[in-house]
């Protein structure tokens, strides 16, 4: 038997310990590197064979894990290597690649960038030494008349060539696993890592458990992932099945879109809108990044904007630099192009869904509404397409666009409002005002206290083409919307009475509270609070930004309804002059009732309210007993 010794021409001594230390938590990448090399070799073989008019056998990568003998074997029927090629590509190139890698890492010093490059491509074949004490490469090249060869290396700079009995074209790599690779001798651990990286690699990968003769080989990957298929041939079920495969714990996705572009960059992928679990904090990292079907990363920051971080799925592109998460890539024009493409596609598919399947769009709105609004504020292009399709709930509980809201207003109201949108803050504004408007056929848009104040401000600032937006809260617009009955001399008396009782000559109160009168159609309502829109908006903003400690006092106007019995009687009692204190109590009560149905009572007001209620009711019961 002839053997030939050689030595590697690396200049850096002891690169193994250095690399091992750096990649301490990333030992598993050797699986990705060796399997992707195997796939590359198969592709090269079939490309060469095709150009020469030859047939190639069915592509196959076979892997076995043998715990007893501490051996992991990876075999492919790719193009193979001659002894000279092994020496050139493996012994010299791969090792000098490793040296280059070390140099790169050294240059980066202690920056964060380093952590992000680690674990990405770049170490290649050499990564096998992360887990193996000894590596053996046996190969038979596809070139005519080639002789099989065996290369053995203990991971230092010396290696040895010997004869091989390998009879079929391809390469077999044997890893004699050392203590650092212990965990991968466990079949299930190995399998889990293999599927993590190689789920969608383009050739069948079969895995054998040498420990368990009963167990059949299993193919662990899907060679043509959904994103490689023609969208025209795919059905809803295909997308749902694929989603289930990628995210087995998730409920069915709401809808999805497929990405496929060749120019000016290549990218394929599929993105799903997941059903949001309100009780679980949103997980990011739902989008997996692939490069030619090899898993690279689940960090797509910069490639996908923040507001789309809720999406799940896969993006496959060789044009995304492997260290995507680096902040320096934020300005990278290629990444920007890709990111814009994704934003555009998402907007288009939402628009299409709105136009073709309104019901489904509305159903999804509960989950995606927040992100669409956020997206409109974040991205101009997205805003341009999507603002028209932002939905709000109206008083009837129907979801409508802003355009639809206005179109449905009674003509009379349209004139009064002059392009304004009346909104109602859920849980905050006076419910009875809304009911009264509803009775007159006037709808109000329901808004939340979190994103909507920001969204409304954004829309007002930006407008949309010719379209201008102006939002107005129900409690500042209410008066304008109802037909105003002429105010009589008696009404003025009501106003004066309330003002005297509630404000009097308290200078401090005067700055916060005003009294007005208004004849409401609904006589059962005694009073409501009117708020200045600008002040209200300011308060909303500070509140939604979490600055609750700082809340500006807003000047409010109590609008009293002179047609209401309580109000009428209070004035009569007041004018009689015998029981002025009872009239005062009723006036305060009317004010508290208005507070109750808008912002509620402070604890001090609440206490007074309770005491007063008791005294009022007992006074009243005297008449009956
Ligand atoms: P890279 O894949 O980036 O070129 P690697 O270190 O992974 O770097 O591999 C170095 C080279 O060794 C490859 O370019 C290829 O020429 C050769 N090689 C590695 N594995 C195989 C294999 N299974 N079959 C044929 N050639 C291989
Ligand atoms: Mg490689």
């Amino acid at each position: 038997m002839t053997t030939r010794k050689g030595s590697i021409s690396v200049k850096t001594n002891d690169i193994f310990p250095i690399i091992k230390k750096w990649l301490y938590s990333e030992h598993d990448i050797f699986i990705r590197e060796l399997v992707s090399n195997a796939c590359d070799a198969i592709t090269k073989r079939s490309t060469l064979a095709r150009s020469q008019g030859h047939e190639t056998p069915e592509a196959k990568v076979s892997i076995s894990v043998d715990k007893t003998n501490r051996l992991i074997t990876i075999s492919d029927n790719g193009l193979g290597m001659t002894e000279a090629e092994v020496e050139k590509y493996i012994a010299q190139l791969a090792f000098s690649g490793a040296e280059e890698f070390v140099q790169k890492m050294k240059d980066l010093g202690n920056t964060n960038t380093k952590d992000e490059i680690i674990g990405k491509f770049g170490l290649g074949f050499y990564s096998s030494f992360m887990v193996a004490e000894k590596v053996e490469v046996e190969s038979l090249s596809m070139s005519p008349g080639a002789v099989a060869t065996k290369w053995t290396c203990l991971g230092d700079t010396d290696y040895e060539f010997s004869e091989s009995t390998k009879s079929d074209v391809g390469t077999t790599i044997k890893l004699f696993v050392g203590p650092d690779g212990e965990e991968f001798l466990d079949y299930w651990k190995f399998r889990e890592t293999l599927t993590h990286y190689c789920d969608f690699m383009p050739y069948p990968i079969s895995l054998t458990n040498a420990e368990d003769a009963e167990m059949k080989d299993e193919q662990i990957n899907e060679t043509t992932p959904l994103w490689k298929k023609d969208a025209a041939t795919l059905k809803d079920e295909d997308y749902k099945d694929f989603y289930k495969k990628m995210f087995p714990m998730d409920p069915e996705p709401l809808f999805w879109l497929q990405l496929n572009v060749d120019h000016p960059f290549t990218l394929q992928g599929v993105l799903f809108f997941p059903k949001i679990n309100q009780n679980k904090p949103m997980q990011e990292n739902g989008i997996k990044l692939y490069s030619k079907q090899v898993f690279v990363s689940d960090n797509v920051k910069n490639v996908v904007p923040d507001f789309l971080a809720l999406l799940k799925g896969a993006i496959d592109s060789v044009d995304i630099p492997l260290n995507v998460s680096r902040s320096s890539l934020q300005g990278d024009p290629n990444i920007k192009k890709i990111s814009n493409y994704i934003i555009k596609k998402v907007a288009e598919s939402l628009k299409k869904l709105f136009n073709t399947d309104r019901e489904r769009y509305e159903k999804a709105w509960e989950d995606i509404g927040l992100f669409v609004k956020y997206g409109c504020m974040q991205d101009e292009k997205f805003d341009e397409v999507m603002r028209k399709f932002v939905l709000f709930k109206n008083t009837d509980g129907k979801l409508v666009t802003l355009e639809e809201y206005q179109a449905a207003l009674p003509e009379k109201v349209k004139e009064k409002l002059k392009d304004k949108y009346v909104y109602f803050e859920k849980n905050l504004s006076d419910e009875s005002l809304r009911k009264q408007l509803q009775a007159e056929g006037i709808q109000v848009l329901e808004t939340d206290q979190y994103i909507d104040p920001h969204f409304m401000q954004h829309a007002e600032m930006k407008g949309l083409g010719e379209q201008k937006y102006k939002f107005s809260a129900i409690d500042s617009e209410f008066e304008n919307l109802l037909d105003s009955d002429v105010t009589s001399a008696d009404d003025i008396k009501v106003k004066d009475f309330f003002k005297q009782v509630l404000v009097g000559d308290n200078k401090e109160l005067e700055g916060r509270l005003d009294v007005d009168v208004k004849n409401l159609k609904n006589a059962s309502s005694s009073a409501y609070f009117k708020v200045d829109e600008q002040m209200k908006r300011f308060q909303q903003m500070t509140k939604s930004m979490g600055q609750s400690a700082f809340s500006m006092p807003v000047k409010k106007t109590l609008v009293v309804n002179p047609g209401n019995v309580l109000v009428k009687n209070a004035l009569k009692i007041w004018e009689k002059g015998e029981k002025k204190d009872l009239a005062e109590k009723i006036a305060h009560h009317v004010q508290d009732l208005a507070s109750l149905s808008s912002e509620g009572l402070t604890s001090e007001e609440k206490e007074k309210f309770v005491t007063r209620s008791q005294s009022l009711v007992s006074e009243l019961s005297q008449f009956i007993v």
Side-chain angles (χ1 to χ4, degrees), residues 32-38 40 121-126:
R32 176 189 66 194
E33 294 300 328
L34 296 183
V35 179
S36 65
N37 280 351
D40 289 348
F121 294 77
L123 204 51
F125 172 82
Y126 196 90

Side-chain angles (χ1 to χ4, degrees), residues 103-129:
Q103 199 48 52
K104 237 191 294 178
M105 298 309 280
K106 277 191 174 157
D107 292 347
L108 288 170
N110 276 329
T111 55
N112 288 336
T113 321
K114 205 162 91 175
D115 296 338
E116 286 159 0
I117 292 183
I118 288 177
K120 306 288 183 295
F121 294 77
L123 204 51
F125 172 82
Y126 196 90
S127 59
S128 44
F129 289 105

